[in-house]
Each structure stands twice: as C-alpha cells, then as structure tokens.
C-alpha cells in the first residue's frame, strides 16, 4: 500500500494530470464525494482518504494497474523522442521564452486566476508543453487565492475568501544550480521587499511563482501577494513591480537565460526595465542601446480594447516607485517616466504600463484579427506620423487547450473517427475533415450524454443555492432535459450585456415557454469584487428565480470558475455571446463549446468576426456599429430575439428524422467542428507565436548569446 501511495503522490506532482482524464478519474473513483469536496484535487484526496478506504477501493476499481499505466505515460511524455518544438523551435534551444502573466488558470484547485486572461495563460503553458516549446511561466502566488462568489438573499454578490491549502498543491521551492532555494528582493519605496520563488510543473513547462510570505518582510508586504487584483493603486503598482522586476531577477537567479520575454498583458511591463538595467549595470551597455536590445527581444500581447481596462498610475505614485530603476538604468527619472507616458513630454500625466510595454517591444499583438485593427487605431497616437495600418501591432488569435476542455466522451468519438493520434495533429484541417464521416446518430447521442450530465450538475447547483437562500425547491425539477439549452457565462460587465434578453420579458417568456419548442437558459458569471455595476447586473439576471414564468427555464449558477465552465461548455447545446462590438478582444469560451459539439451564437466580434462563415454557428447583427449605444443595444436585442425565434429554435426542433435526430442542427454541429476546431485551439496559437514572434525576436536577442 505504501508503494502505491508513493506512486500516486508522484502522479500528483505534475499538473499534467489536469488535462489527463484517465488520471483524474483514478482519484474520482476512489471517493466521488471526497473528490468533489476537495475541488477535484488529487493531492487533497490522497491526503484526506483513510488508509482503509484507499485499500478497499484500490482493488475494487483497479487502481494499481491504472496508476502504473499513468506513470509510464507521464514518463514518456516528459522524455519525448521528438516534438514539434524540437523541429520548429529548436533555435530557442536552451534559452526559453519567459512568459509573464499576472494570473494563471490551470485548474480550479490552484485559484491564482480570475478569468479569461489567466485561463488563456494556463492554456498557453499546456500547449507549449504538449508541443515541446521551451518556455517558462512567471507569475505570482496569491496565498489567499481569488474570491469565490456567493449570492446573498438580495441576490447581491458576496466575495468570499477561501484560503487554499498550500500543502495540497505540488509547489516546491525553486533552487539555483547549487541546490539553494532562491529568494529575490525588489526595491519598493523606503524598503526592500523579499519574495521566495516557488515552482510548479505543468507537464514539461516550469511555472515559477513569487511569494512574499518571507520572514524579513513587514506584514503589509506579506499581503502583497495575498490576493489577485485585491488592492488599491499602490498595491497594484507594487504587485506589478514584484512580478516584472522580481520575476526577471528570479529567472536570473535560477540560471534561466531567457531569449525572449513575452508579456501577456501589460501588468509585467517593468520586467523590461529590469532586463535593460541588468545589461547596463552588469555588462556596461549604453542605456539607449540596452533599451533597444530589450525591445528587439520582447513580445507584448495586449488584451483589452476598453480604455478603462488599461492600468494608469498617477505620476507621483509612479515616480516614487520608479526612482530605483531609473538610477540603475542611468537615465533621469523623467526619461523613465516618459516611457510610460503617451506623450513623453507631458509631465504630470499618467504612467501606463501598456504604453511602456508598447514602447519597449519590437513585436506587439492583439488577440484576434479585429482586435488587431482596433488596437492599431487605439494606439495610433503613440506613433505620430504613422498611418493606422502601419502601427506595429499585429494579431495572434487566441485558441483553447483541447485536452483541458474536451469531454471524455467527445474525445473517444474523435479518437475513433479522426484517428487515435488525432491530438498530435490538431492544427491540420485534414484531421477535422474526417468529422463529416461520423454518423449523425453517434454525434447526437454523445452530445445527449454530456447534456444530461450538465443538466444534473446545473440542477444540483441551483438546488443548493435555493436551499441556502431559504427558497423552496422547484417542482418539478427545473430545465426540460429535452429542450434546447443555451448557456451564457462570462464576467458581468455592462459591455458584455448579460441582460440583453431581459429588455423584453414578455417576448422572453414566449421564447422560453413555447410549449412545442421550449428553451432553457443558463447564466453564470462573476463581477469584480469592487464593481457594483457588475453586481447589479448579476442581481438582475439571477432575479427571475422566483418568477413563476421563468423559474423552470432560466437559472443562474453561482461561482463561475474552471469547474463550472467545463460543465457548461461540455453539455450545453448553444452558447450565447452578445457584447457591444468591438469590445470583446477575442473571447474563448465559445471555442470550448464548439469542441464539444455546441453551436456558437454571437455578435460578430472578437474571434467570431473571423470564424463565422454562415454555416458554422449563428451571427447576431451585421457587424455595423451605430454611434448611439442605446440604438445599437436595441437593434442587437431585436436581432438576437429574431435570430433565436426564426433560426436557432427551428433548426433545433425541425427536420427531425424518425429517431428524433435534428438533421440540420447536427449538420451544423459538424460544420462547426470541421471549420473551427483546427484553427481555434491553443496548439495553433502557440505555433503562431513561435513562428511569427518568438523566433524572430530570439534572433533579435542573439547579441546576448555567450560567445561560442
Ligand atoms: C474560458 C473561460 C473564460 C474566458 O471566456 P471568455 O469567452 O473570454 O469570456 C472565463 N472564465 C472561465 C472559467 C473560462 O473557462
């Protein structure tokens, strides 16, 4: 038994299990109830299960053989003979890309993410691992995690801190080449702040995380890494300095000589100043030359077309924090401040990390084709004299990590029709072309299995919430399992318009309660803890839960996170996204739905603007934008209702064959998978980054190569 426990512990040491259902199910099969209570975290299951229970269950569900098989697979994975990266990213060699991000969403048991940005970063690491691209992630370890959402009786979002148990995570101290644990220090106003450097393995990729819970630190500095997006402006700039400057120092202390710095969003922009400072201080390089060199080895990805989404620090606050870096850079404080100002000579104006990142990166990109256009326009004023089209911001459209988001049953279907090894050629259209040969019955029935599971999950969550709120259970159970089921889950902010369908409740009533063609609607989503507008939207959308017209048809699920997301993406029939165009930079949840055989219904914004072909989902509106937002909202609501009533609902219910399969709907499911899956996955995204950005940038940084 001890031997088995050791082997199981070994399996939990690498977050590789987060995208291996065959590993996760070993732990689930030991004790389902415990598994769920433990946030699907194998390490936690293993720590909490009693030796007797483990012994009994191990034989019942064949654990030893499954563990051996999984360990063998893991070893093979970690020591590959050949990978895409060895062939195509070999030039990066022993100098990996350093990928900086404020949040990483890898699994629900590691709550150091809040939403889309973090999940994209997690997917990026996982795909880089699968492809064998040399890359190391750099982030912060928030020891209180991010908050959980609980609605109170007024349906107002309460933000609950759920500290997580660090011993249930496979974090280890990162050590230098002498085996000594690494600690870094960063100069903040009037003091040095220390951070220990932890690491976690995500397949072949190392993710290093800085943690200020260090003895030498003042308690208020320990709190610097307590919570993601938790504090005021001062805490924010200090977190960003810690991530950027501390992160760059941690890499060096670990002996990681990164070729390229990839800043995923501007939060980590200070890393670039630190990189230049090092060249100036240690190698005696001339300051402006150092800045140029850093720029040529930097890739910067911007994520938000919303002006307010970019950090901007008051001049005094920034100056106070940048003084030590300016000294190290041998530049005047004003020159350094100028790097973060839109107009460098506009003293006293705000300091924007995004501006710093744009000025100090030779290569920048938005996250969809449309977002590239919007970003060039948005930042045109930083490049006086350049035409909008010439602004040096390109795009790499986001993608999602298929093994993370795909239901096991869909994976089996793909394995049997696309080839057992289809995951090694996800980006080839030919791989997905084979979906046309799958019978309608097989794909439809697979989807029904997923849908039944998702509806059970939603009912369960909804019943728990009602009980907590002191509301009576809904009888009969809500959501008709045969009805077209549409999901909507995302951050609740006004521009995403979660309440668009609520503009006409009578029409909504007719839509969802049509006796022949009912529709279920499931909402989920959180607001930033400080955003009362977003919380108001939640209150409104969840507010129908006692309305006799809607309580059987429209549900709100609390605490949208990776787990809730996975359940919704896998089992829902269709996914709704109705933001104000062009404010959705990309959007990725719809891609996860598509992989699982759901159809996407969206405004032509973000990825959908380049993905929709007339036959692989549904588009709301024409893509035109009215200058008056109120008129635009009205038009979009009208068009959304019309689309649902005249196209989506009939496609789902009409043209059923003798066994009840909706032929045209299933045809569109296949079209959607065939035309979208090969493009909007994270392997394609990482390959684009490598070929179009990392490799050219690495050549730009070749002057840093040690002489042969
Ligand atoms: C994918 C995902 C997101 C991002 O989805 P968008 O479409 O960009 O809003 C946010 N939260 C969770 C839990 C996700 O899985």
């Amino acid at each position: 038994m001890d031997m088995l426990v050791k082997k199981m512990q070994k399996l939990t040491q690498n977050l590789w299990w987060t995208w291996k259902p065959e590993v996760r199910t070993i732990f689930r099969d030991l004790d389902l109830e415990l598994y769920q209570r433990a946030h699907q975290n194998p390490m936690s299951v293993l720590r909490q299960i009693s030796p007797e229970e483990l012994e009994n269950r191990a034989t019942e569900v064949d654990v030893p053989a499954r563990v051996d098989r999984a360990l063998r697979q893991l070893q093979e994975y970690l020591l590959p003979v050949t990978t895409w990266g060895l062939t195509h990213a070999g030039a990066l060699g022993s100098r990996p890309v350093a990928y900086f991000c404020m949040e990483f969403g890898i699994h629900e048991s590691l709550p150091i993410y809040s939403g889309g940005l973090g999940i994209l970063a997690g997917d990026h690491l996982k795909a880089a691992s699968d492809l064998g691209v040399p890359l190391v992630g750099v982030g912060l370890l928030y020891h209180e995690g991010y908050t959980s959402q609980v609605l109170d009786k007024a349906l107002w979002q309460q933000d609950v801190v759920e500290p997580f148990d660090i011993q249930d995570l496979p974090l280890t101290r990162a050590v230098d080449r002498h085996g000594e644990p690494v600690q870094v220090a960063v100069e903040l106003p009037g003091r040095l702040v220390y951070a220990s450097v932890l690491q976690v393995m995500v397949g072949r990729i190392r993710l290093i995380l800085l943690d200020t819970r260090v003895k030498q630190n003042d308690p208020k500095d320990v709190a610097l890494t307590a919570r993601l997006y938790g504090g005021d402006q001062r805490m924010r700039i200090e977190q960003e300095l810690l991530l950027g400057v501390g992160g760059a120092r941690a890499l060096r202390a670990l002996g990681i000589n990164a070729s390229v710095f990839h800043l995923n969003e501007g939060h980590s922009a200070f890393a670039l100043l630190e990189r230049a400072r090092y060249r100036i201080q240690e190698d005696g390089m001339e300051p402006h030359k150092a800045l140029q060199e850093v720029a040529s080895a930097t890739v910067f990805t911007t994520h938000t077309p919303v002006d307010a989404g970019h950090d901007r620090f008051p001049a005094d606050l920034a100056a106070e924090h940048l003084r030590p870096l300016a000294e190290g850079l041998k530049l005047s404080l004003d020159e350094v401040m100028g790097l973060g100002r839109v107009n460098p000579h506009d003293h006293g104006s705000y300091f924007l990390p995004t501006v710093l990142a744009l000025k100090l990166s030779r290569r920048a990109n938005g996250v969809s084709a449309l977002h590239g256009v919007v970003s060039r326009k948005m930042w045109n004023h930083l490049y006086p004299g350049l035409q909008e089209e010439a602004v040096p911001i390109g795009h790499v459209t986001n993608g999602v990590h298929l093994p993370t988001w795909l239901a096991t049953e869909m994976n089996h279907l793909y394995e049997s029709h696309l080839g057992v090894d289809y995951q090694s050629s996800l980006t080839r259209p030919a791989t997905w072309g084979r979906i046309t040969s799958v019978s309608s019955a097989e794909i439809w029935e697979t989807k029904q299995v997923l849908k039944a599971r998702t509806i059970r999950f939603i009912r369960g969550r909804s019943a728990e919430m009602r009980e907590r709120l002191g509301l009576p259970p809904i009888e009969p159970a809500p959501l008709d399992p045969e009805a077209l089921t549409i999901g909507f889950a995302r951050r609740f902010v006004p521009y995403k318009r979660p309440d668009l369908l609520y503009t006409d409740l009578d029409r909504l009533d007719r839509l969802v309660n049509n006796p022949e063609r009912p529709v279920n609607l499931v909402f989920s989503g959180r607001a930033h803890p400080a955003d009362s507008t977003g919380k108001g939207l939640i209150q409104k959308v969840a507010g129908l839960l006692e309305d006799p017209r809607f309580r059987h048809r429209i549900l709100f699920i609390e605490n949208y996170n990776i787990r809730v997301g996975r359940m919704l993406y896998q089992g829902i029939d269709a996914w709704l996204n109705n933001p104000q165009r062009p404010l959705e930079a990309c959007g990725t949840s719809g891609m996860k739905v598509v992989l699982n055989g759901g159809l996407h219904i969206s405004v032509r914004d973000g990825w959908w603007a380049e993905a929709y072909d007339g036959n692989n989902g549904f588009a709301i509106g024409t893509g035109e934008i009215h200058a008056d937002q109120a008129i635009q909202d009205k038009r979009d609501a009208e068009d959304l209702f019309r689309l649902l009533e005249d196209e989506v609902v009939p496609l789902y219910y009409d043209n059923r064959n003798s066994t009840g399969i909706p032929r045209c709907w299933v045809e569109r499911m296949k079209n959607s998978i065939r035309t979208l899956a090969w493009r909007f996955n994270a392997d394609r995204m990482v390959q684009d980054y490598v070929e179009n950005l990392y490799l050219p940038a690495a050549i730009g940084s070749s002057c840093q190569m040690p002489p042969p």
Side-chain angles (χ1 to χ4, degrees):
M1 199 43 57
D2 284 357
M3 189 63 197
L4 178 64
V5 171
K6 279 219 177 67
K7 285 180 178 172
M8 293 180 87
Q9 277 165 345
K10 191 153 180 218
L11 265 187
T12 65
Q13 291 306 308
N14 189 315
L15 292 177
W16 174 76
W17 61 259
T18 62
W19 68 99
K20 290 289 151 188
E22 61 272 34
V23 184
R24 292 201 308 264
T25 49
I26 299 175
F27 296 87
R28 186 198 63 191
D29 293 349
L30 283 176
D31 183 340
L32 179 62
E33 196 267 329
L34 171 60
Y35 181 72
Q36 289 176 350
R37 194 156 26 90
H39 299 287
Q40 296 77 235
N41 178 347
M43 241 175 140
S44 175
V45 170
L46 209 51
R47 196 169 55 80
Q48 292 184 56
I49 196 166
S50 70
E52 302 78 49
E53 167 97 2
L54 178 62
E55 183 142 15
N56 288 339
R57 291 293 291 164
T59 12
E60 275 170 48
V61 293
D62 196 22
V63 171
R66 290 161 77 188
V67 168
D68 282 341
R69 201 173 327 127
L71 272 179
R72 240 185 351 261
Q73 248 188 303
L74 174 59
Q75 270 149 12
E76 278 166 24
Y77 182 84
L78 294 178
L79 292 170
V81 184
T82 175
T83 62
W84 182 90
L86 279 172
T87 320
H88 295 87
L92 298 174
S94 59
R95 303 192 57 211
V97 172
Y99 181 92
F100 287 77
C101 193
M102 195 78 166
E103 44 174 307
F104 286 91
I106 296 163
H107 188 259
E108 56 269 27
S109 60
L110 181 55
I112 57 170
Y113 69 95
S114 82
L117 179 72
I119 289 169
L120 181 79
D123 279 9
H124 196 103
L125 299 192
K126 291 168 180 172
S129 170
D130 290 344
L131 292 168
V133 173
L135 184 138
V136 50
V138 183
L140 300 180
L141 181 71
Y142 306 98
H143 45 271
E144 289 180 5
Y146 190 63
T147 50
S148 294
Q149 175 196 54
V150 177
L151 300 193
D152 66 15
K153 288 205 154 120
L155 304 181
W156 195 255
Q157 169 178 313
Q158 300 299 320
D159 305 291
V160 184
V161 180
E162 256 190 283
F164 60 99
D165 206 333
I166 207 124
Q167 59 171 326
D168 283 341
L169 289 165
L171 287 161
T172 55
R173 288 295 298 267
V175 294
D176 63 17
R177 76 179 80 88
H178 311 294
E180 293 297 321
V182 167
Q183 180 166 307
V184 294
V186 175
E187 303 82 4
L188 292 180
R191 70 220 198 259
L192 267 182
V193 171
Y194 298 88
S196 61
V197 181
L198 300 163
Q199 68 176 35
V200 59
M201 295 308 297
V202 184
R204 302 175 182 130
I205 301 291
R206 169 148 72 153
L207 168 59
I208 65 174
L209 296 166
L210 273 55
D211 183 350
T212 55
R213 285 176 303 174
V214 171
K215 276 199 305 294
Q216 296 100 308
N217 283 342
D218 190 84
K220 96 176 182 308
D221 290 328
V222 169
L224 262 186
T225 56
R227 234 181 285 169
L228 173 60
Y229 307 138
D232 57 6
Q233 289 273 77
R234 174 171 295 271
M235 176 169 268
R236 181 66 159 253
I237 195 172
E238 295 190 348
Q239 283 187 330
E240 293 188 5
L241 278 157
L242 190 69
L243 172 63
V245 178
R249 289 180 185 170
L251 289 170
R252 220 154 40 231
L254 293 169
I256 298 170
N257 183 11
S259 54
V260 175
F261 277 16
H262 180 182
L263 312 183
N264 193 41
E265 194 49 294
H267 307 121
S268 52
F270 296 123
L272 305 179
L273 295 179
E274 167 60 15
R275 202 178 195 194
R277 186 201 64 80
Y278 184 80
R279 293 291 276 158
I280 295 159
Q281 298 272 297
E282 303 296 319
D283 303 331
M285 193 179 254
E286 193 278 318
H288 291 98
K289 188 153 181 287
L291 291 175
Q292 266 174 21
E293 183 195 85
V294 165
S296 66
T298 301
V299 173
F300 168 52
T301 303
T302 176
H303 287 264
T304 175
V306 184
D307 203 42
H310 294 268
D311 283 331
R312 59 190 69 226
F313 297 118
D316 293 351
L317 185 72
E320 186 188 348
H321 284 86
L322 288 176
R323 198 160 280 122
L325 273 172
E327 273 168 33
L329 287 162
K330 302 195 172 148
L331 294 173
S332 71
L333 180 59
D334 192 55
E335 269 178 292
V336 176
M337 293 284 290
L339 293 169
R341 292 183 192 130
V342 172
N343 171 357
H345 307 295
D346 188 0
H347 307 278
S349 68
Y350 283 95
F351 182 96
L352 281 77
T354 305
V355 170
L356 176 67
L358 283 169
K359 289 187 185 176
L360 288 188
S361 58
R362 181 75 60 76
R363 291 171 182 81
N365 67 286
V367 289
S368 68
L370 179 60
H371 181 231
V373 174
V374 172
S375 301
R376 287 190 284 280
K377 184 181 180 114
M378 182 167 179
W379 297 108
N380 199 172
H381 60 290
L382 268 190
Y383 308 87
L386 281 194
Q387 295 287 324
E388 200 174 297
E389 308 77 61
V391 169
I393 304 178
H395 79 271
V396 174
T397 304
N398 289 339
V400 298
H401 184 245
L402 174 135
T404 295
W405 302 107
L406 192 65
T408 313
E409 294 83 350
M410 278 308 274
N411 187 45
H412 289 155
L413 183 141
Y414 291 156
E415 279 178 348
S416 58
H417 294 279
L418 313 184
V420 280
D421 203 24
Y422 81 99
Q423 288 199 12
S424 62
S425 57
L426 289 182
T427 60
R428 295 206 358 234
T431 301
W432 296 97
R434 299 184 203 122
I435 196 75
T436 44
S437 65
V438 180
S439 78
S440 296
E442 186 176 356
I443 196 166
W444 177 252
E445 275 149 26
T446 304
K447 188 74 210 178
Q448 299 322 297
V449 171
L450 307 182
K451 183 172 174 180
R453 185 163 67 214
T454 293
I455 289 195
R456 263 197 316 278
F457 172 82
I458 296 167
R459 284 176 173 170
R461 285 291 175 103
S462 154
E464 276 169 33
M465 177 169 110
R466 291 186 72 93
E467 191 179 334
R468 208 194 56 246
L469 296 177
L471 297 170
I474 305 180
E475 310 274 359
L479 301 190
D480 178 346
E482 302 287 317
L484 168 65
T485 301
I486 300 177
F488 179 107
R490 44 189 43 84
R491 198 155 48 88
F492 271 49
V493 281
Y495 82 81
K496 296 196 186 231
R497 300 186 296 190
D499 56 344
L500 196 63
L501 284 171
Y502 286 50
T503 46
D504 187 343
L505 288 184
D506 293 332
R507 195 166 176 185
L508 183 60
D509 176 21
R510 290 195 297 277
L511 176 76
V512 300
N513 289 313
N514 181 327
E516 270 88 56
R517 302 166 161 204
V519 175
N520 301 320
L521 276 172
V522 182
F523 289 91
S524 189
R526 300 193 278 178
H528 183 279
D531 175 17
S532 54
T533 314
K535 291 184 180 181
L537 284 167
I538 289 167
Q539 190 179 43
K540 178 173 176 190
V541 168
L544 299 182
L545 92 179
E546 282 200 275
D547 187 320
R549 291 187 297 174
F550 296 111
R551 66 180 176 212
H552 284 92
R553 292 274 184 260
I554 303 183
L555 296 187
F556 182 88
I557 305 301
E558 286 172 306
N559 204 30
Y560 180 44
N561 64 6
I562 292 180
R563 159 110 174 118
V564 173
R566 216 172 34 234
M567 291 308 292
L568 295 181
Y569 311 140
Q570 294 182 355
I572 224 89
D573 293 309
W575 194 246
L576 178 61
N577 190 22
N578 49 29
Q580 289 172 5
R581 192 176 193 266
L583 298 184
E584 181 86 301
C586 180
T588 52
S589 50
M591 301 174 188
K592 303 168 194 168
V593 170
V594 162
L595 292 175
N596 286 290
L599 293 181
H600 197 222
I601 307 170
S602 172
V603 168
R604 295 169 199 253
D605 197 11
W607 75 288
W608 201 235
E610 67 200 80
Y612 177 65
D613 71 359
N615 240 328
N616 56 3
F618 304 93
I620 306 163
T622 56
E624 274 170 41
I625 307 174
H626 198 281
D628 183 336
Q629 191 55 51
I631 295 178
Q632 185 66 45
D633 288 350
K634 219 169 157 178
R635 280 190 187 168
D636 286 344
E638 169 61 33
D639 203 62
L640 172 56
F641 271 113
R642 188 205 53 75
L643 181 70
L644 294 173
E645 292 159 353
D646 298 350
E647 294 183 40
V648 181
V649 171
L651 199 74
Y652 187 81
Y653 285 103
D654 291 351
N655 269 308
R656 298 250 171 171
N657 71 7
S658 55
T659 52
I661 297 167
R663 277 177 296 228
C664 299
W665 182 274
V666 173
E667 217 33 59
R668 200 167 293 208
M669 276 165 74
K670 290 197 220 168
N671 272 338
S672 153
I673 295 167
R674 181 176 57 79
T675 60
L676 302 172
W678 64 272
R679 287 169 72 190
F680 300 100
N681 66 71
D683 282 9
R684 193 274 310 146
M685 168 177 72
V686 170
Q687 289 177 354
D688 279 356
Y689 275 107
V690 169
E691 289 174 340
N692 303 334
L693 297 163
Y694 295 164
L695 288 175
I699 291 161
S701 76
S702 60
C703 44
Q704 285 184 58
M705 292 271 194

